[in-house]
Amino acid sequence: TPCKKQNPTMEVLKHVTCGTAGKPLRIIQITDTHLFPEGVTSFKNEDTTVDMKKSGYSNKTAKEYLALLIKQVRPDVAILTGDIIDGRPFGEHKRTDWLRTIEEFIDPLVDAGIYWSFTPGNHDDDGAPYSRKDLLDIYSLPYCLSKGANTFDHTITVGPSEKEGVRLWLFDSGENSPDKNIRYTSFSLASVAAHKLISKKLRERKEKLPGLAFFHIPLPQYMYNHPISGTLGLFDAARNKGQVPRFARYFPWLVKLFGADRVAGSSMLDSGLFESFSREGNVKATFCGHDHYNDAVMWRDGVYLCYGRVCSYTPPIDWEGKGGPLPFEFGARIVEVRPDASVATWVQSKDGIEPKSYVPLEHRDRAPAGLCARILCSNVTLKVVNFIAILVILVYVLMFPQYRSAEELEEEAKIEAGLL
């Protein structure tokens, strides 16, 4: 099948009351902590073995950051968007205490009485001695919004009341695919269909709550968008690791000139979920992780596309050092939903709100793209422009006369004059 069909339906869970009436509801997104089993000091991946102590990595950074950010932001809800644990060291060291590892990590949330939920990433069960289905046991932990859920794909409303708050849509964005050309198995087709069906019922009920979607791997539509705020550093990291085509390795300036560096680590399969969000109009913004070097906010066809910010320091966070240093500090993305249903987001680091990261997620502030803009900014146009640019350079190199000195040109002129 082109996309993974893990679950037959998308669950609709009961409303969870939290926050204070008449005041903003704050959500903190925690992503890609890649927690290791307690006591593990080394990590082997591909051709690299990392000594965590010698290299300065720490499994405690994420929990310390979480506690600090809770103190600063005082969120009402936390969403953990995947790769919270990393299954590979659990498998390598034959450890099965993964649930305890997560339980210890969320201690600051539980101690503060903050509701939270979880969406799986591609590494939570990667190479692990437990299955992806086992990860559903996470929903049994204290203060989990999704308690009782039988699938990772579900929707739930949170807030002071059912008429004041926000509708959350949580999705499993897929696992690593055995087919490297596909990369990841993508979203469940059944859940995409369920989103359309549920959306129809919500329209009939005239629900007016803003909708926010959370998942781990970015949608294909995260590709080639101009960032409103934040950084898209995945291309530079992939170039550092040698994972880009040879042309891009030697001519990165040309790639960036045409915006082809604005890449995302999405599946090569398109489940149709973004089209459903855009068409139904009930998801104002999406939030993902996965691409450690990206933290941008973008906008496309009526939907804001947002990245979280990593806040951990275990070997996978910078690709075992092969991706180069992160282009920003550790932190987390904050989402604020106000009583009038307006939404804003920013990145919070240890020093507070990061400068220039505050973005109001209001469609009325952005004019819809006209036909010319849609054509000029489409993925097809970018590919055609890139192809033409490469073709021009090749023709120039092959056809343009080789460089000749002034003496050579003078001698050639004399020869031509003698022949005449």
Side-chain angles (χ1 to χ4, degrees):
T1 57
C3 296
K4 186 182 179 187
K5 295 183 178 180
Q6 175 177 304
N7 306 304
T9 61
M10 184 171 191
E11 293 180 290
V12 180
L13 304 183
K14 292 182 179 180
H15 175 82
V16 173
T17 302
C18 60
T20 305
K23 292 187 177 181
L25 183 79
R26 284 189 174 177
I27 302 171
I28 184 171
Q29 179 195 2
I30 301 296
T31 193
D32 293 87
T33 52
H34 286 269
L35 300 174
F36 279 28
E38 184 67 29
V40 169
T41 58
S42 66
F43 175 65
K44 185 176 182 180
N45 185 32
E46 298 176 349
D47 59 345
T48 303
T49 300
V50 179
D51 184 331
M52 291 180 62
K53 289 186 176 180
K54 186 176 181 181
S55 303
Y57 291 105
S58 170
N59 200 31
K60 297 180 180 180
T61 306
K63 186 174 181 178
E64 293 172 353
Y65 244 91
L66 179 58
L68 174 64
L69 294 173
I70 287 173
K71 185 177 180 181
Q72 288 182 348
V73 178
R74 297 183 179 179
D76 301 289
V77 175
I79 306 295
L80 316 181
T81 52
D83 284 3
I84 300 304
I85 54 175
D86 195 308
R88 291 169 294 181
F90 284 90
E92 178 186 348
H93 298 279
K94 296 180 174 56
R95 298 283 292 271
T96 58
D97 52 343
W98 62 272
L99 189 60
R100 178 58 187 163
T101 301
I102 291 181
E103 192 171 12
E104 290 178 353
F105 170 64
I106 65 169
D107 276 346
L109 293 172
V110 175
D111 292 343
I114 297 170
Y115 285 101
W116 61 274
S117 193
F118 163 86
T119 62
N122 58 304
H123 286 306
D124 288 291
D125 62 330
D126 183 16
Y130 49 86
S131 69
R132 198 170 188 81
K133 187 176 180 180
D134 289 335
L135 292 173
L136 286 168
D137 290 345
I138 291 172
Y139 293 156
S140 67
L141 297 177
Y143 280 91
C144 184
L145 287 170
S146 305
K147 194 175 293 291
N150 297 304
T151 168
F152 296 116
D153 299 334
H154 54 274
T155 181
I156 185 172
T157 58
V158 297
S161 70
E162 293 187 19
K163 294 184 178 181
E164 181 183 344
V166 63
R167 176 168 290 281
L168 305 178
W169 301 83
L170 307 183
F171 293 90
D172 180 353
S173 54
E175 307 175 54
N176 294 329
S177 172
D179 186 345
K180 299 300 181 182
N181 294 320
I182 293 176
R183 297 182 187 167
Y184 311 104
T185 55
S186 193
F187 298 81
S188 162
L189 293 176
S191 293
V192 175
H195 171 260
K196 297 175 183 178
L197 180 62
I198 295 169
S199 297
K200 181 180 178 181
K201 293 181 179 179
L202 294 177
R203 281 197 304 274
E204 293 172 352
R205 288 170 40 187
K206 298 182 179 181
E207 181 178 279
K208 296 182 179 181
L209 295 179
L212 305 176
F214 293 85
F215 41 81
H216 179 69
I217 298 173
L219 296 157
Q221 287 75 15
Y222 271 65
M223 299 274 283
Y224 308 126
N225 300 296
H226 182 74
I228 299 171
S229 174
T231 301
L232 293 173
L234 182 61
F235 170 77
D236 288 327
R239 184 168 170 264
N240 289 336
K241 195 176 178 181
Q243 290 184 330
V244 298
R246 183 174 296 179
F247 175 82
R249 198 179 311 166
Y250 294 112
F251 299 98
W253 58 270
L254 188 59
V255 174
K256 294 181 180 183
L257 179 65
F258 293 102
D261 62 313
R262 300 168 190 165
V263 294
S266 59
S267 172
M268 298 304 291
L269 302 171
D270 191 344
S271 64
L273 185 59
F274 177 81
E275 285 75 11
S276 184
F277 289 159
S278 182
R279 188 180 301 110
E280 298 297 338
N282 60 355
V283 171
K284 180 168 286 192
T286 66
F287 301 85
C288 72
H290 187 63
D291 295 334
H292 302 177
Y293 291 84
N294 291 351
D295 75 336
V297 174
M298 300 161 288
W299 187 84
R300 181 167 180 167
D301 294 340
V303 182
Y304 284 89
L305 305 172
C306 311
Y307 276 103
R309 173 76 73 86
V310 296
C311 63
S312 181
Y313 199 49
T314 54
I317 213 69
D318 58 358
W319 303 350
E320 295 78 51
K322 295 178 181 179
L326 294 173
F328 35 65
E329 294 185 15
F330 297 137
R333 179 159 296 284
I334 310 301
V335 187
E336 186 172 82
V337 182
R338 302 189 180 99
D340 63 357
S342 63
V343 182
T345 184
W346 67 87
V347 171
Q348 188 89 9
S349 64
K350 62 181 178 62
D351 297 320
I353 298 177
E354 193 149 300
K356 300 181 180 180
S357 71
Y358 183 88
V359 179
L361 304 183
E362 297 306 317
H363 298 163
R364 62 177 179 269
D365 294 335
R366 300 186 58 79
L371 179 61
C372 290
R374 288 175 181 271
I375 293 173
L376 292 173
C377 297
S378 71
N379 291 345
V380 174
T381 302
L382 283 172
K383 291 177 180 178
V384 171
V385 170
N386 289 339
F387 174 77
I388 293 173
I390 294 171
L391 187 62
V392 168
I393 291 174
L394 289 175
V395 170
Y396 178 85
V397 171
L398 296 174
M399 303 298 293
F400 193 82
Q402 295 183 352
Y403 172 77
R404 289 170 291 178
S405 66
E407 292 79 6
E408 290 174 327
L409 291 173
E410 184 178 355
E411 183 177 351
E412 183 177 336
K414 289 179 180 179
I415 293 173
E416 290 179 354
L419 292 174
L420 294 173

